[in-house]
């Protein structure tokens, strides 16, 4: 009887585990990123994630110098494409920490018709710094 109960418990645990694995195996989309911009105190990179026609555009920023000190930095993320709601531009200012990892900055989202092209440009706009930007374009095929 104890063996039977153990088998039932093992089967229930396996079923629960299989259910969790199935739920977490949902596609999270494909992310493409542009070439990093010219380092200008921080290195910037524009990225777009596409998941079944839904677009999520964002930027990444990484301190360029080992002598970097925590400071607020201004950016611009512009995304264009045929979408509903319309994609647009955001102007985030975020704290970039010394020795920190690459940070995801800003977000622009929207639903895009299959086969359309989306372009995102991520630019550092900090006063007194020369502009540095990264651009990425991709066609939405994941529909």
């Amino acid at each position: 009887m104890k063996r039977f109960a153990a088998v039932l418990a093992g089967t229930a645990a396996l079923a629960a585990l299989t259910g969790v694995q199935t739920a977490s195996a949902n596609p999270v989309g494909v992310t493409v990123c542009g070439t990093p911009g010219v380092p200008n105190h921080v290195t910037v990179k524009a990225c777009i994630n596409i998941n079944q026609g839904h677009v999520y555009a964002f930027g990444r920023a990484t301190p360029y110098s080992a002598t970097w000190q925590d400071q607020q930095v201004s950016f611009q993320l512009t995304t264009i494409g045929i979408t509903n709601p319309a994609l647009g531009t955001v102007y985030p200012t975020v704290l970039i920490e010394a020795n920190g990892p690459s940070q995801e900055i800003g977000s622009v989202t929207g639903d895009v018709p299959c086969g359309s092209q989306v372009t995102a440009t991520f630019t550092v706009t900090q006063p007194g710094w020369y502009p540095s930007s990264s651009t990425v374009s991709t066609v939405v095929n994941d529909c």
Side-chain angles (χ1 to χ4, degrees):
M1 188 67 164
K2 287 182 184 180
R3 181 177 275 177
F4 181 71
V7 168
L8 282 179
T11 303
L14 181 59
L17 181 60
T18 302
V20 169
Q21 287 176 338
T22 301
S24 66
N26 289 336
V28 294
V30 174
T31 299
V32 293
C33 295
T35 303
V38 175
N40 178 12
H41 304 285
V42 295
T43 302
V44 295
K45 189 185 319 185
C47 300
I48 298 173
N49 177 277
I50 300 168
N51 187 3
Q52 297 179 351
H54 185 75
V55 170
Y56 171 70
F58 59 96
R60 289 210 163 275
T62 308
Y64 180 67
S65 170
T67 61
W68 178 264
Q69 295 185 11
D70 295 0
Q71 64 181 294
Q72 296 282 332
V73 180
S74 299
F75 299 92
Q76 176 178 327
L77 173 65
T78 301
T79 307
I80 56 174
I82 302 169
T83 61
N84 184 22
L87 297 179
T89 301
V90 294
Y91 302 91
T93 297
V94 299
L95 176 66
I96 304 293
E97 297 179 0
N99 301 319
S102 176
Q103 286 182 243
E104 185 175 308
I105 299 171
S107 69
V108 176
T109 63
D111 294 321
V112 180
C114 197
S116 61
Q117 181 170 325
V118 177
T119 301
T121 301
F122 184 58
T123 305
V124 63
T125 59
Q126 186 70 9
W129 295 6
Y130 60 88
S132 177
S133 62
S134 171
T135 299
V136 62
S137 292
T138 189
V139 175
V140 177
N141 304 351
D142 177 16
C143 308

